[in-house]
């Protein structure tokens, strides 16, 4: 009896196309499109810094001329792109007797089982990518267990900036604190431009900010206080910064819940930049993907020993990157 998974519809190319078509329903940073995807052909990227301006060095075919750097002091930094594999299995019980359902063919029915598995796996990759991207906005990219993968501030030899909003004191000039954040970001753009500043806040920071006497007064003066009866957690602009409550969290392999933003903290960053943010995707470690441009996700399947099911393998090789970590400002409520 022919194994249905040998059909070309379940090849690496077909499954990879299928998992990339599944929409990413998780991630505020995905919705903001702050760190757009940039596929690369290698497992490493090299970032060049020249006079404060950072440029990614493109790959070239063997024998072709290299890019010409500008004269002056330059620094090259190399970053290894993380490899994130995830496996699952389609058991015989899941596909047994599927031909009897309605008018579906066997391949259509098995394709539905495969699609359900791919969607679950895709969602796990999505929340993992959100975690990595949030780390890039904080300047410290962490693994699932909380260990450090890359400290961008150390890599770029930059001292991280923190602004204490002192929200516990009723007399604090919150607008002046916002101006200080804007000034720090603008000073570190290094020739880049922006069209605004966004700030993702922990629930504790957001509550302290909106409950501050100076901020509440501003709400009353805006549309006669109509904003006070609405849900402003989606974001409001005050002092030139759009503040938004962010509740991103996930559990690790041990069942521990990890919040993406610590209690009482917030993180501000510029919007509308050209090349300050990116998410680099490396190719999978398959024979078929050697020297190809990386995709956000890959999927592949093979039969188990004695044909006792089908192993399903997915992987992603992402590296969210901020090329100018100086524009990443941490805010604290204390």
């Amino acid at each position: 009896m022919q194994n249905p998974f040998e059909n070309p519809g379940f090849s690496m190319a077909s499954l990879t196309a299928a998992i990339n078509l599944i929409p990413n329903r998780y991630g505020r940073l995905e919705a903001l499109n702050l760190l757009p995807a940039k596929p690369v052909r290698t497992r490493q990227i090299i970032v060049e810094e020249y006079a404060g301006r950072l440029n990614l060095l493109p790959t070239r075919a063997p024998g072709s001329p290299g890019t010409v750097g500008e004269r002056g002091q330059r620094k090259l930094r190399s970053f290894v792109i993380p490899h994130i594999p995830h496996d699952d299995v389609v058991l015989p019980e899941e596909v047994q007797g599927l031909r009897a359902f309605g008018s579906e063919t066997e391949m259509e029915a098995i394709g539905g089982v495969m699609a359900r598995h791919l969607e679950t796996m895709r969602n796990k990759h999505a929340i993992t990518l959100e975690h990595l991207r949030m780390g890039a906005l904080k300047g410290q990219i962490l693994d699932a267990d909380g260990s450090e993968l890359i400290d961008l501030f150390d890599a770029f030899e930059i001292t991280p900036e923190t602004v204490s909003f002192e929200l516990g004191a009723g007399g604090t000039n919150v607008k002046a604190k916002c101006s200080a954040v804007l000034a720090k970001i603008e000073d570190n753009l290094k020739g880049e431009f922006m069209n605004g500043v966004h700030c993702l806040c922990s629930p504790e920071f957001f509550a302290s900010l909106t409950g501050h006497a100076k901020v509440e007064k501003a709400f009353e003066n805006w549309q006669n206080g109509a904003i006070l009866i609405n849900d402003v957690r989606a974001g409001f602009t005050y002092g030139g910064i759009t503040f938004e409550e962010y509740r991103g969290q996930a559990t690790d392999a041990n069942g521990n819940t990890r919040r993406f933003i610590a209690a009482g903290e917030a993180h501000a960053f510029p919007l509308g930049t050209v090349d300050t943010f990116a998410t680099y995707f490396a190719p999978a470690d398959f024979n078929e993907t050697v020297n190809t441009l990386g995709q956000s996700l890959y999927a592949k399947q093979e039969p188990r020993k004695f044909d006792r099911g089908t192993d399903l393998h997915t992987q992603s090789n992402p590296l969210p990157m901020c090329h100018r970590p100086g524009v990443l400002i941490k805010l604290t409520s204390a």
Side-chain angles (χ1 to χ4, degrees), residues 157-206:
E157 302 172 2
I158 292 175
T159 301
E161 299 272 9
T162 300
V163 175
S164 174
F165 267 51
E166 301 175 1
L167 297 174
T172 301
N173 189 341
V174 180
K175 189 168 291 186
K177 297 290 186 179
C178 293
S179 298
V181 173
L182 293 173
K184 290 180 182 296
I185 293 177
E186 290 169 353
D187 290 344
N188 286 285
L189 284 174
K190 305 294 186 182
E192 174 72 284
F193 61 87
M194 65 178 183
N195 58 19
V197 171
H198 206 84
C199 182
L200 296 178
C201 316
S202 66
E204 295 83 359
F205 184 97
F206 194 86

Side-chain angles (χ1 to χ4, degrees), residues 29 34-35 128-142 149-153 156 260 267-270 276-280 318-329:
L29 300 181
L34 180 67
L35 296 101
T128 302
L129 180 59
E130 178 82 356
H131 178 247
L132 294 174
R133 282 174 166 169
M134 192 65 237
L137 291 183
K138 294 162 62 177
Q140 190 177 44
I141 302 174
L142 304 179
L149 292 175
I150 300 174
D151 189 317
L152 295 177
F153 296 114
F156 288 93
F260 296 172
H267 296 272
F269 47 87
T276 294
F277 301 102
T279 303
Y280 297 102
L319 177 60
M321 177 62 63
C322 175
H323 300 138
R324 296 173 175 83
V327 302
L328 306 176
I329 309 299

Side-chain angles (χ1 to χ4, degrees), residues 82-140:
H83 173 64
I84 305 174
H86 177 52
D87 297 330
D88 201 351
V89 59
V90 179
L91 297 173
E93 299 84 62
E94 298 181 73
V95 297
Q96 182 176 346
L98 286 177
R99 185 191 292 267
F101 283 94
S103 60
E104 288 183 324
T105 67
E106 182 181 22
M107 298 313 302
E108 288 173 341
I110 294 176
V113 173
M114 187 69 76
R116 289 195 296 272
H117 280 268
L118 290 178
E119 183 172 12
T120 300
M121 302 173 84
R122 200 261 183 272
N123 290 338
K124 292 181 181 180
H125 281 290
I127 194 172
T128 302
L129 180 59
E130 178 82 356
H131 178 247
L132 294 174
R133 282 174 166 169
M134 192 65 237
L137 291 183
K138 294 162 62 177
Q140 190 177 44

